[in-house]
Amino acid sequence: MPLGFPSPVKQASIDDLDRRSRRRRQTIDEILDVAHELMAEQGVAALSLSAVARRMGMQPPSLYQYFPSKMAIYDAMFGRGAQAVLDVRRAAIARKAKADPLTRMRAGATAMCRWAIANPVYSQLLFWRTVPGFEPSTEAFAPAVETVAELRTLLQAAVDAGQLDPDAASDDGVALSTSLIAGLLSQQLANQPDVTFDRGRFTRLLPTVLDLFVEHYRPGRNS
Amino acid sequence: MPLGFPSPVKQASIDDLDRRSRRRRQTIDEILDVAHELMAEQGVAALSLSAVARRMGMQPPSLYQYFPSKMAIYDAMFGRGAQAVLDVRRAAIARKAKADPLTRMRAGATAMCRWAIANPVYSQLLFWRTVPGFEPSTEAFAPAVETVAELRTLLQAAVDAGQLDPDAASDDGVALSTSLIAGLLSQQLANQPDVTFDRGRFTRLLPTVLDLFVEHYRPGRNS
DNA sequence: GTCTATACTACGATAGAC
DNA sequence: GTCTATCGTAGTATAGAC
């Protein structure tokens, strides 16, 4: 390229790259938002790329600039949902930072449960995995692993504070607590999908179920 | 038709009707069996009539002699599954006919749970209802209603026998007991779908969970 | 009651122009 | 990065012959 001539090709500045990648992220987010909408309307497993493109005013092939396949969209949704659960739970626990471990555990469980009922599409993806051919990638699954790890940590804190028996922080304790909550969610979403958390016949039982857990692992109780 | 001439059209005898309707029933059963196979292989929501026909050595249009639509097949499967749950539970309880109500309740729950894990396709249909566009008909749903009714009756018997607090037979008691079991099933099927009931990290907790329930409704316990 | 033929629609994904 | 065009496949369902 001869010196003294400004390049006819526009130089890509840092700002341009920022703008471009921000634009790209926006499009990706919009795709996921629209996919979520459609899943809510037609069923999670009924997602179609054509429908997504139609609603976005795009042509279907354009979607392949952002996701290499339909399953990649499901995977991104899974990751998004798992991250949201992690965030929601952390936020609820942070709000009770000064409270005892059991209070924080209850707050985390309640917030997560409330979010799950308000977001049935994500719940179905995360907790049931009923989309034919879809399995989440390790990356998308990571926040879910972290959520369970943090649950275990909190249970251990309750044990250390003398609020729970040491068994509560075992594999069984973790499995039991997740199962108790999954049961309420499962029944609520299957039988009263359009009822709010507060009014649900099943989710209403959350405090009771948490009591059951705490009582079961009451320290000194030879279970 | 002139007398003295045997009809050239073969008279349809009672036996013929029997044979014909039996044959028809067999075909219907085979369709449902094959549909079940395919759902197990490809995913419940991925059922395709063409695939059913292919595997049966039929042409797709022939299926419409037996089911008016794909959803009708889902509905029949739902009904079949709900009836199976009812039967399995009743059989387990009948085997403990002479035992106390709580023992029978535990037996029923265990048998049902075991069956559900061994039949994940039906479980997904019955307990999650994640097939886009499908809702079970009242007829198909009837055995499920009956199962819950019988659960309530059994809880009431336990109350009457002084084994449980009267609250156990309330709406909340029923919802709680179904949720506890649904939780184990849900977690087991989503996280360890190919592990047996006996070895499952979650289903293994069934006795514990039943204890939780019984303890919660222990008579005289002011809960 | 099974078939052939077909209508109709839709889908996921790729190639290549602009 | 978006488009048009298209491939290849699949699907549900119906009409009508046999």
Side-chain angles (χ1 to χ4, degrees):
Chain A
M1 199 192 316
L3 292 174
F5 275 89
S7 163
V9 175
K10 196 177 166 226
Q11 189 82 22
S13 71
I14 300 275
D15 280 356
D16 281 341
L17 285 176
D18 271 5
R19 246 196 302 274
R20 233 171 269 173
S21 75
R22 194 163 46 232
R23 181 95 180 85
R24 190 178 164 78
R25 276 261 307 271
Q26 280 175 357
T27 305
I28 287 178
D29 280 345
E30 195 191 338
I31 290 171
L32 295 178
D33 286 341
V34 169
H36 183 264
E37 265 180 39
L38 287 167
M39 290 186 198
E41 295 167 15
Q42 324 262 355
V44 172
L47 179 68
S48 109
L49 297 187
S50 315
V52 173
R54 253 195 311 279
R55 189 161 294 192
M56 290 183 70
M58 276 180 146
Q59 292 303 318
S62 303
L63 293 173
Y64 287 82
Q65 295 294 326
Y66 303 95
F67 293 98
S69 72
K70 190 167 88 157
M71 287 310 159
I73 293 185
Y74 279 119
D75 203 50
M77 293 273 299
F78 188 102
R80 232 194 185 193
Q83 186 62 47
V85 167
L86 182 57
D87 293 344
V88 161
R89 190 170 172 282
R90 278 179 175 167
I93 290 171
R95 252 175 269 126
K96 304 265 181 181
K98 295 177 182 166
D100 61 287
L102 269 191
T103 301
R104 279 182 282 148
M105 192 203 77
R106 283 175 191 269
T110 306
M112 191 200 116
C113 212
R114 195 181 283 277
W115 182 90
I117 295 298
N119 294 275
V121 166
Y122 284 115
S123 297
Q124 187 171 331
L125 264 177
L126 293 169
F127 307 134
W128 291 345
R129 317 237 206 108
T130 56
V131 178
F134 168 63
E135 290 212 31
S137 64
T138 312
E139 298 90 314
F141 201 71
V145 173
E146 174 62 16
T147 299
V148 174
E150 294 186 6
L151 167 61
R152 190 186 293 264
T153 302
L154 197 44
L155 289 174
Q156 186 60 52
V159 169
D160 295 341
Q163 292 188 292
L164 292 179
D165 185 274
D167 286 346
S170 68
D171 284 353
D172 274 6
V174 173
L176 182 58
S177 65
T178 59
S179 292
L180 294 177
I181 291 168
L184 298 183
L185 293 179
S186 202
Q187 287 286 82
Q188 188 63 50
L189 291 172
N191 295 294
Q192 297 186 321
D194 297 324
V195 176
T196 62
F197 174 86
D198 293 302
R199 311 188 81 81
R201 192 166 81 235
F202 302 92
T203 44
R204 198 194 267 290
L205 300 174
L206 179 58
T208 303
V209 158
L210 293 174
D211 286 345
L212 250 64
F213 181 81
V214 171
E215 176 62 20
H216 182 70
Y217 285 117
R218 202 180 52 201
R221 183 171 174 281
N222 49 340
S223 59
Chain B
M1 200 193 314
L3 292 173
F5 274 90
S7 164
V9 177
K10 197 176 166 226
Q11 190 83 21
S13 71
I14 299 277
D15 280 356
D16 281 340
L17 286 175
D18 271 5
R19 247 195 301 271
R20 234 170 269 171
S21 74
R22 194 162 47 231
R23 181 96 180 85
R24 190 179 163 77
R25 277 260 305 270
Q26 281 175 355
T27 305
I28 287 177
D29 280 345
E30 196 191 339
I31 291 173
L32 295 179
D33 286 341
V34 170
H36 183 265
E37 265 180 37
L38 287 168
M39 290 185 199
E41 295 168 15
Q42 323 262 355
V44 173
L47 179 68
S48 107
L49 297 187
S50 314
V52 173
R54 254 195 310 277
R55 190 162 293 192
M56 289 183 70
M58 277 180 146
Q59 293 303 317
S62 303
L63 293 173
Y64 286 83
Q65 295 294 327
Y66 303 95
F67 293 98
S69 72
K70 191 167 89 156
M71 288 308 159
I73 293 186
Y74 279 119
D75 202 51
M77 293 275 296
F78 188 102
R80 235 194 184 192
Q83 185 63 47
V85 167
L86 183 57
D87 292 345
V88 161
R89 191 169 171 282
R90 277 179 176 166
I93 290 173
R95 252 175 270 126
K96 304 266 181 179
K98 293 177 183 166
D100 61 286
L102 268 190
T103 301
R104 279 182 282 149
M105 191 202 78
R106 283 173 190 272
T110 306
M112 191 199 116
C113 212
R114 196 179 283 278
W115 182 91
I117 294 299
N119 295 274
V121 167
Y122 284 115
S123 296
Q124 188 171 330
L125 263 178
L126 293 169
F127 307 134
W128 291 346
R129 318 236 206 106
T130 57
V131 178
F134 169 62
E135 290 211 32
S137 64
T138 313
E139 299 90 314
F141 201 71
V145 173
E146 175 62 16
T147 298
V148 174
E150 293 186 8
L151 167 61
R152 189 186 292 264
T153 302
L154 196 44
L155 289 173
Q156 185 60 52
V159 170
D160 295 341
Q163 292 188 291
L164 291 179
D165 184 274
D167 286 345
S170 67
D171 284 353
D172 275 5
V174 172
L176 183 57
S177 66
T178 59
S179 292
L180 293 177
I181 290 167
L184 297 183
L185 293 178
S186 201
Q187 286 286 82
Q188 188 62 49
L189 291 172
N191 295 294
Q192 297 186 320
D194 296 325
V195 176
T196 62
F197 174 85
D198 293 302
R199 310 188 82 82
R201 191 165 82 236
F202 300 94
T203 44
R204 197 195 267 290
L205 300 174
L206 180 58
T208 303
V209 158
L210 294 174
D211 286 345
L212 251 63
F213 181 81
V214 171
E215 176 63 21
H216 182 70
Y217 286 118
R218 200 181 55 201
R221 183 172 175 282
N222 49 339
S223 58

